[in-house]
Each structure stands twice: as C-alpha cells, then as structure tokens.
Amino acid sequence: MSTPFPFTAVVGQDDLRLALLLNAVSPAVGGVLVRGEKGTAKSTAVRALSALMPEVDVVPGCRFSCDPHSPDPGCPDGPHEPGAGVARPARMVELPVGASEDRLVGALDIERALAEGVKAFEPGLLADAHRGILYVDEVNLLHDHLVDLLLDAAAMGASYVEREGVSVRHASRFLLVGTMNPEEGELRPQLLDRFGLTVEVSASREPDQRVEVVRRRLAHDDDPAGFAARWADEEAAVRARIAAARELLPSVRLGDGALRQIAATCAAFEVDGMRADIVMARTATALAAWAGRTDVLAEDVRQAALLALPHRRRRNPFDAPGLDEDKLDETLEEFGGQDGDGGGDDDPDPGPDGPGGPGGQPEPDDAPRGDGDAAARPEAGEGGEPRPSGAGEQSPVRAAEPFRTKVLSVPGLGEGVAGRRSRARTEHGRTTGARRPRGALTKLHLAATVQAAAPHQRARGRSGRGLVVRRDDLRQATREGREGNLVLFVVDASGSMAARQRMGAVKGAVLSLLLDAYQRRDKVGLVTFRGAAADVALPPTSSVDAAAARLESLPTGGRTPLAAGLLRAHEVLRVERLRDPARRALVVVVTDGRATGGPEPVALAGRAARLFAAEGVASVVVDCESGPVRLGLAGRLADELGGTAVTLDELRADAIAGLVRDVQGTRRAA
C-alpha cells in the first residue's frame, strides 16, 4: 500500500487546507469544491485529509458502516441491535469520472431477484463512502446521470436502488470533495450549490516556495515512508486539534450579531436561496471551534463568506467567481458591533497558530481571489481593455450581451455522449424496446424477459410460484434520450468583416449559443480566418469562461483566406471524430463570402466547402455582405457546403434557431 503525502507537508494553499480542515471539524459544512489549474496539489491535499479524520465506530460485519450506537433501521444488512462496535479509519472513496451507475449506487442480482425473490445487493461507492469522504476528481466531467444520483444522495442522506419493483435503501452521508480545472468546462448549478465551500487554487509565483514544493515532492517520491515519518508529529498535532475542535463545536455560540452579519452579507451579494446563510453559519462556527473559541467573531464571518459565497453569486457562466472584498468589509462593518458580538472591532488573540493554525488564514500576499481567468486573457491591456495583437489590426470588439437561444438540434437519431440537445440512443431515457444484453446487464426489460422465459417453464421443471429464469432469457432495455453535440463556428475576421457593429453581433451570437451549450452539455468550437491563415481560436470545449475570454480578445483585419478557414474547420472536425466518433456536429460559417489571397482563392474555397457536403455535415452560412451591390458569394458558398444561407440582418437568436430548423428540414427532405 502506497504512503500518501502528508497533509501538513503541503506547501502554501492555505485556503485549500483550511477549507478541508473545517469540513473535518464539522462535516455539516457540506464539502469542498477545489477549482484550479493542473499541478496545484488539489488531489494531493484531498487524499492526505483522510489520514487526519477521526476513526469511526461501525457495527461488526455491516457493509454499510452503520453506527453501533444508532444503527440504521432500514440497513440491508440489519436490523442491528445497539451495542458496542469496532473502530476503523474513516474511508476516502474515489468516484472515477467514467464510473457506471451500478458502480456508484450498487447492483442487484437480477437473476436471484426474479427466481428467488431475494434482495441480493452488492453495495456501491455511495455505501462505501458513508460516514467518510467521497472524492470526485474532475467533477465537472462527471456524466449527468451520475450527477443526479449524487444530488439525490447528498440531499436525502440515503441512496435508493430500484430495479423493476425490487428496491433497496441504505444510509449514505458523506463529505463530498471535488476538484476541477475550469478550462475543461463548468459544473452544473445544482451540483455546484451542493458544495458547502469553494476554493480557487493556483501555483505560487514565488521562486522560494516553488523550490520548497519540488524539494518535498522529490523527498517523498524517493522515500515515502521516511518522509511521512518526518512529518508524523505535525500530523498527530493536527489530528488532535481536529478532535478537540469537534468536542468544542457544540459549545460554540453563534450570537444574533453574527447572524445579522451573515444574513446581511448574503443579501448584499444577492445569492439565491437560504443555503448560503446556513453554510456560512456552520462555517463560522467551525472556524471558531478550530481557533479554540466558543464565540463567533466578525473575522470568522468574513472568512466564512470568502469560502462559502464565491460560487453562489454567479448569475451566469460568464461571471468570474470571487467576491468584492471591499464590499464585504463595508457590509460587515455596517451590521457589526450589535448585541456585543460579531462586531470585530477588537483584535482578539487568535492563538499561537492564528485563526487557521496549520493551513489557516491566507496571507495578504496570497494569490488574489476571483481573477482565475486572468491567464486566459493574454491580450488584455490595462483596465481589462483588449489591445491589438499586431500592426494594422483593429482593436478587438466587445461582444453584444448574450441572450437566450432557442433549442438547436441535429436531425436523426444519434448515439453520442449523454446531453440535453438531440435525440439519441442512450443508457438513460424512455424505454423504446428490448434486446439481448451485450456484456453485463444494466437495464432490465422485465416484460421482454418474462416473455422469453415463459415458454420454457414446463421443460425447466417449474413446480412453485417462482419463475425459472436463465441467463439467456434476460433482455436489456433499449432507451432513447438526448445527446450533446458540437457546434463549430467558422468566423471571418478579415478587414471586410471588421465593422464594429457587425463583429459585436457575431460575437454576441457565439456567446449566446455557448451559454446554451453549457446548459445542454454540448461542445462549442471557434475557428477564425484573416490575413494569411486560419486559427483555432477556441478548440471544442464546454468551458464558457475560456470561451468568453478568447472571443473578447478576437482581433480583426487583413485579407480573407476563406479556403484556409474551411480546411482548418474540417481538420478540427476530423480530429474530434477520432476523439469522439459518436458526437455529431453543426458548422456555422459567418462570412461575406469573399475570398482573397493566393491563386484562385474562390475555387479553392469551393473545393474546401465540398468536403463538408461529401461527409454530410449539417451547415449554415451567415451572409455578412453589405452595401447596395451584393455579389451573392455567401449564397454560393452555402450551396457548395450543402447547407443554406441567411443575411447578416437576420443574425439574431430566433433567426439562427429558425435557420437551423430549416437546415434540418432540408436534410430530412433530402
């Protein structure tokens, strides 16, 4: 068994360590979501936390970790009589992104259930994580049906498994910890709100600290056991402090003054619902217990707000996470000092280790909050204004405000990744038929199974009421649901397209469809062409934050290499088909149809367009030609693509949605 990296040996990342420790003190805080770039010790810190968690008493032999002092009356392994138990370390269970539903919630033995009428149940990860930690790395990439199951378990504290009238329920209360890289896509709002706290992490820019990170990592890799032994005293001290804080927690007083500050802060930042108030109250109480105090102070409320509110104040995915700390301080000052508590005017002694102790309060020179997108805006100038990226270029134009779009869908019945857009054969959805299972049975079609087994009952010697079922009788249910698609924009950013109003509308439409894609679990890509070449400005992604930054800094100017843009888009689709062959695409070309530069540019563009038509890719051309004399080049391009065209005046949300519906109708008729 490998020796984990010690929690106390993690360099920096004070907010991350504090958030994890507060959940260890009070699991009711609701877990932690860790957002940050790769290589920032997210997973290392989370895995190290389990070694600090106090042991739990369990009923001997119970697969569901029942508390011997208060056993679950509905435990599948029960009933258990209250009594003495056995102590074991708290578990940390990892949920793989590609896990199946059966692996998460458990699986029933369908054959025994049908033939013998017994609930032969094999527990899943939700049972293993009960009274421990459930860790999901890359939680933003988790499939929707697994997210739904996590939401249900987190809300009810129990997991339900139901298969064709046979049901099992067991307790499942766990500390949910997730890590994610925002560049790979955002998290569903429902799951985002289930995390009590959120932390933004980034790599230190201080050379001395980076040196220490490397030194400790190499020392651990060379001798894990020896490295852990050197940190054993620090680990024991933190473990003892967690236990002491847990004992002190019921005695912590949350006065009316602190409650007013919490309520006023949540109201000032316009967070939805009341969960934020409750989480802030629990976090502030845990902070006081961690500091060894029985009163909640203003500094606890402030730190609780910084941990509990950033992910709850976002109105849409384009909003950067974070809080205005000046506004926070003003709110706390305005509502502080009432009823003699929560005022924060005094500077109480926080103890020898400060309010956070090991991994406590962040230092003032730590990485600022709420600017996680700064690295994604390399072309931003002072004041956040974009600046030109080359001579002769016009300054990037800001996108129009995003708007709600109508549903776009690709015709036919696909088999792509689960989503919320086009019709597809999926593992989840309404049942449309049955077939023999290929591999393990996941969704039983009861009627078809009974129909297959019924003719053979006499030959199998059936004598009782039970149905004699063999494996060959089992039938897998076929289901129809929704899939996610790839919407690839090919945008002409040349000089002929550089009118500010025109490009603002184009960017606004792209952002609007990207927001819709985020909600429907799609991918969106952006290819631009200008000057002498074409660029992939936005590789196929679900990350709305990265998309907004790339589109905002998109420059314009130069000649119009239309053929290069189409060929680059074709290459993007080719690569995506290799990565995900089942995901279907819709290509939207935004251009005036002009092609300049090089020999026979118009003919080259036509040949490139015919590649899409030959492969049956659904496409639409947004005609941006202006002026009293129109050449109709965009219409010709649409014909070459096998799609249709619309003028720039129709470049609105309802116009684009209606156009795609027309494209679908044309393809169906063909």
Side-chain angles (χ1 to χ4, degrees), residues 264-575:
T265 300
C266 293
F269 286 99
E270 300 179 349
V271 296
D272 296 330
M274 294 298 298
R275 183 173 283 118
D277 303 63
I278 297 171
V279 171
M280 274 191 64
R282 289 171 173 166
T283 305
T285 303
L287 279 162
W290 177 247
R293 290 185 269 100
T294 56
D295 286 313
V296 174
L297 305 178
E299 64 191 61
D300 301 322
V301 176
R302 185 182 192 279
Q303 183 66 54
L306 293 174
L307 293 172
L309 296 188
H311 61 303
R312 292 187 167 90
R313 60 164 292 276
R314 304 181 76 187
R315 286 293 171 265
N316 63 65
F318 300 115
D319 295 335
L323 290 183
D324 183 340
E325 297 195 31
D326 291 336
K327 181 178 179 180
L328 173 60
D329 291 335
E330 291 173 3
T331 303
L332 294 176
E333 183 177 356
E334 179 181 356
F335 290 88
Q338 302 180 40
D339 296 338
D341 68 282
D345 294 328
D346 298 329
D347 185 18
D349 181 10
D353 294 318
Q361 297 272 22
E363 296 296 326
D365 61 346
D366 274 0
R369 302 173 187 272
D371 61 353
D373 292 333
R377 295 185 174 92
E379 299 185 6
E382 295 183 3
E385 291 293 331
R387 60 172 179 256
S389 60
E393 294 178 354
Q394 298 190 22
S395 297
V397 179
R398 290 192 180 278
E401 286 296 319
F403 40 76
R404 185 176 180 84
T405 65
K406 294 182 180 179
V407 179
L408 312 181
S409 61
V410 177
L413 189 64
E415 295 183 346
V417 65
R420 298 200 187 98
R421 187 170 299 279
S422 304
R423 295 174 55 227
R425 299 183 185 90
T426 63
E427 287 294 319
H428 302 272
R430 63 185 182 89
T431 301
T432 58
R435 60 171 173 80
R436 291 182 181 273
R438 305 185 189 101
L441 179 71
T442 57
K443 297 290 183 181
L444 177 72
H445 194 295
L446 181 58
T449 299
V450 172
Q451 187 176 9
H456 308 290
Q457 296 305 296
R458 180 174 298 178
R460 293 173 182 174
R462 173 183 169 183
S463 58
R465 299 179 60 185
L467 188 69
V468 181
V469 179
R470 303 282 173 81
R471 180 169 295 277
D472 290 343
D473 302 327
L474 299 179
R475 295 295 182 268
Q476 173 84 23
T478 57
R479 300 178 178 236
E480 181 178 312
R482 295 282 171 176
E483 67 175 1
N485 299 117
L486 168 62
V487 181
L488 181 62
F489 281 84
V490 185
V491 179
D492 184 349
S494 64
S496 63
M497 289 282 295
R500 302 187 69 81
Q501 184 177 3
R502 189 181 307 168
M503 285 306 299
V506 170
K507 289 184 178 182
V510 175
L511 285 177
S512 300
L513 287 173
L514 181 65
L515 177 57
D516 184 65
Y518 160 73
Q519 295 167 340
R520 300 185 185 281
R521 311 300 284 178
D522 288 323
K523 282 187 174 182
V524 172
L526 174 63
V527 173
T528 65
F529 56 95
R530 64 184 182 88
D535 296 310
V536 181
L538 177 67
T541 182
S542 298
S543 174
V544 294
D545 291 331
R550 303 287 177 84
L551 287 168
E552 185 173 334
S553 61
L554 178 65
T556 59
R559 302 180 74 86
T560 312
L562 177 57
L566 294 174
L567 290 174
R568 180 58 64 92
H570 186 267
E571 177 65 14
V572 170
L573 293 183
R574 185 189 69 81
V575 173

Side-chain angles (χ1 to χ4, degrees), residues 70-94:
S70 180
D72 179 11
C75 176
D77 284 354
H80 305 298
E81 292 295 329
V86 295
R88 65 158 176 79
R91 293 172 178 162
M92 193 197 76
V93 177
E94 293 195 40

Side-chain angles (χ1 to χ4, degrees), residues 592-593 621 623 625 631-641 643-646:
D592 56 11
V621 177
D623 185 358
E625 189 175 23
L631 302 177
L633 298 176
R636 297 178 197 172
L637 176 62
D639 292 339
E640 299 280 7
L641 286 166
T644 189
V646 63

Side-chain angles (χ1 to χ4, degrees), residues 186-237:
E186 284 296 335
L187 202 59
R188 279 176 56 182
Q190 295 91 336
L191 184 57
L192 187 65
D193 190 51
R194 284 292 172 187
F195 286 97
L197 310 180
T198 186
V199 178
E200 294 279 337
V201 297
S202 60
S204 173
R205 300 298 183 258
E206 289 292 330
D208 290 342
Q209 193 172 75
R210 296 175 73 96
V211 167
E212 186 61 23
V213 169
V214 175
R215 181 181 291 119
R216 294 186 186 182
R217 182 77 254 180
L218 294 178
H220 174 267
D221 292 346
D222 290 342
D223 183 10
F227 185 81
R230 291 196 292 273
W231 288 89
D233 291 343
E234 288 82 353
E235 293 281 286

